[in-house]
Amino acid sequence: MNDAGLRRGLLSWYRRAKRDLPWRRDPTPYRVWVSEIMLQQTTVAAVTPKYEAFLRRFPTVASLASSREDEVLKHWAGLGYYSRARNLRRAALAVVAGHGGRFPSELAPVLALPGVGRYTAGAILSIAFQKPFPLVDGNVIRVFSRLFGLKGRAKDPAFAARMWPLAERLVPKTGPGDWNQALMELGATVCTPDSPSCGACPVTAHCAAFAKGLQDRLPLPEPARAPVPVAWTCLWIERGGKVLLWRRSDKERLLKNLWGLPMAGSVAATPGRLLAKASHSITFHALAVELREAAFEGAPPPEAKWVPRGKIGDYLVSSLWLKLLKGR
Ligand code: SF4
């Protein structure tokens, strides 16, 4: 592999063809960090509008650190994987308490922040601080698998581990942030999972898979995972213009620690008339959710509270509730 030629070809393409994304316009450590956390397991199209609104509400690490968790979760609504938002706030508190509000620029303190792993640390250090740290994500695994002709499954941790030495070898001392973003950009827009656009690829001449006609067969396909069906009956309990909401515990399999509607069996109320149904996917779970009217007498237990009907959107952040309560 001609590393210098590969770098030249990919970087000049990236500078010409990169997408204009909001976090690329002013890549401060805070802006890069927020974008990288949001982009974990979420698409660019879904993140872009949420990112801009989030940055308007929490423009600095100090503003995020001084906010209530519920407020941060509300601005994360619809992005899913809510532990990311909690970790983001906890990490902001750590930056304020331990680093005087300035984002650390060394590997060890960045890795010590909640929710920051090797990939995110590499992204922040290379893009915001221009330090030559590598990164490996799903796009990079796929691109390397094809460029170097490596056989393995992208989601296999042992296969992913083989990519780090390659990423370290290739990351340049000058412009490491552009290099890392160029690799990911190639994976996102050209070297895509299905039918890579090799005709439009700037590094075809360096690609082992292309030379052998294996570009559609690398990396190896993942075994299909059957969705796990989950059936929920949720209760709509309304009294005097207020709705009873329920804080889900950290023992729940899904949507843990988030506000939701009470589930049948969680409060002493019998499910009655069917009001709505919704289907929703969370990771590999396929939820079939029913909403039923119910009456409840007495004081709510500690994990529940009455919320004015017009305010429930501040609490119910998962898009499941938006689907289920549409029109209510
Ligand atoms: Fe990917 Fe095709 Fe480019 Fe190889 S030539 S890196 S398979 S897009």
Side-chain angles (χ1 to χ4, degrees), residues 257-320:
N257 286 322
L258 291 175
W259 287 99
L261 294 174
M263 310 280 280
S266 63
V267 290
T270 308
R273 187 168 62 99
L274 178 68
L275 299 174
K277 284 183 174 190
S279 305
H280 188 70
S281 297
I282 301 178
T283 59
F284 52 87
H285 301 90
L287 279 76
V289 187
E290 280 186 359
L291 178 65
R292 289 186 176 271
E293 201 171 44
F296 173 77
E297 299 302 329
E303 58 277 22
K305 78 168 162 182
W306 292 105
V307 174
R309 189 179 175 135
K311 292 267 179 202
I312 60 174
D314 291 355
Y315 290 81
L316 303 179
V317 295
S318 167
S319 43
L320 160 66

Side-chain angles (χ1 to χ4, degrees), residues 6 142-147 186-187 190-192 195-211 214-216 218:
L6 172 68
R142 183 172 61 258
V143 169
F144 280 0
S145 167
R146 291 172 178 165
L147 276 177
L186 188 75
V190 177
C191 195
T192 47
S195 309
S197 307
C198 301
C201 179
V203 292
T204 317
H206 303 272
C207 182
F210 183 75
L214 293 175
Q215 61 270 31
D216 290 312
L218 293 178

Side-chain angles (χ1 to χ4, degrees), residues 19 77 86 121 124 136 199 209-210 229 234-235 256 272 290 320 327:
R19 291 167 294 174
R86 289 196 185 91
I124 296 167
V136 171
F210 183 75
C234 299
L235 304 179
K256 52 183 72 169
E290 280 186 359
L320 160 66

Side-chain angles (χ1 to χ4, degrees), residues 108-243:
V110 174
L111 277 176
L113 297 172
V116 175
R118 194 174 173 191
Y119 162 80
T120 307
I124 296 167
L125 292 170
S126 65
I127 299 169
F129 291 103
Q130 294 302 316
K131 294 193 170 185
F133 282 92
L135 56 75
V136 171
D137 73 345
N139 281 318
V140 175
I141 293 171
R142 183 172 61 258
V143 169
F144 280 0
S145 167
R146 291 172 178 165
L147 276 177
F148 293 94
L150 302 173
K151 283 191 184 155
R153 294 196 168 83
K155 290 188 180 157
D156 173 2
F159 189 60
R162 289 173 63 194
M163 307 301 157
W164 282 97
L166 295 171
E168 264 173 48
R169 184 182 102 193
L170 287 169
V171 67
K173 290 202 168 41
T174 306
D178 272 4
W179 168 255
N180 283 335
Q181 291 183 93
L183 275 176
M184 294 189 287
E185 189 81 349
L186 188 75
T189 63
V190 177
C191 195
T192 47
D194 301 317
S195 309
S197 307
C198 301
C201 179
V203 292
T204 317
H206 303 272
C207 182
F210 183 75
K212 294 179 189 158
L214 293 175
Q215 61 270 31
D216 290 312
R217 284 192 259 159
L218 293 178
L220 300 176
E222 304 291 338
R225 178 162 199 177
V228 174
V230 177
W232 281 1
T233 300
C234 299
L235 304 179
W236 180 263
I237 302 171
E238 188 171 358
R239 190 202 288 169
K242 293 186 173 178
V243 179

